[in-house]
């Protein structure tokens, strides 16, 4: 069996902390809700949604994509 985090000198770290970080990174990489549920073995959307934290980076990407779409529609209307 593996060593515990405390045995490795990492106090206060639990398996769930690593699970949470890994699933948060997966969500940030673009994993869908279904992907996260399968990855975690959950049937509940609510459980998977915990890992889809809003981030400034994600908010900026969404805003940029919306702006690009508006500009594209505006340019198409000028033709």
């Amino acid at each position: 069996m593996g060593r515990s985090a405390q045995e490795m000198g990492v106090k206060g770290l639990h398996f769930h902390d690593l699970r949470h970080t890994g699933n948060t990174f997966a969500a940030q990489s673009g994993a869908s809700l279904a992907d996260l549920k399968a990855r975690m073995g959950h049937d509940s959307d609510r459980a998977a949604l915990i890992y889809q934290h809003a981030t400034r980076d994600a908010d900026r990407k969404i805003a940029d994509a919306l702006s690009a779409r508006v500009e594209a529609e505006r340019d198409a209307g000028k033709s």
Side-chain angles (χ1 to χ4, degrees):
M1 185 117 197
R3 294 174 34 191
S4 72
Q6 188 171 11
E7 290 172 332
M8 292 185 290
V10 184
K11 295 181 181 177
L13 180 70
H14 302 95
F15 173 77
H16 188 266
D17 298 330
L18 299 174
R19 177 180 164 91
H20 184 84
T21 300
N23 287 316
T24 299
F25 287 167
Q28 289 173 342
S29 74
S32 70
L33 190 59
D35 294 331
L36 291 172
K37 286 168 54 176
R39 181 179 170 80
M40 297 182 300
H42 286 291
D43 292 327
S44 162
D45 287 353
R46 184 171 183 250
L49 284 170
I50 291 168
Y51 300 99
Q52 293 187 324
H53 304 288
T55 65
R56 286 187 186 170
D57 186 44
D59 190 44
R60 172 56 40 210
K61 287 178 184 176
I62 292 166
D64 290 345
L66 291 172
S67 292
R69 183 161 184 177
V70 168
E71 289 298 319
E73 293 293 326
R74 186 178 297 151
D75 292 344
K78 291 179 182 177
S79 309

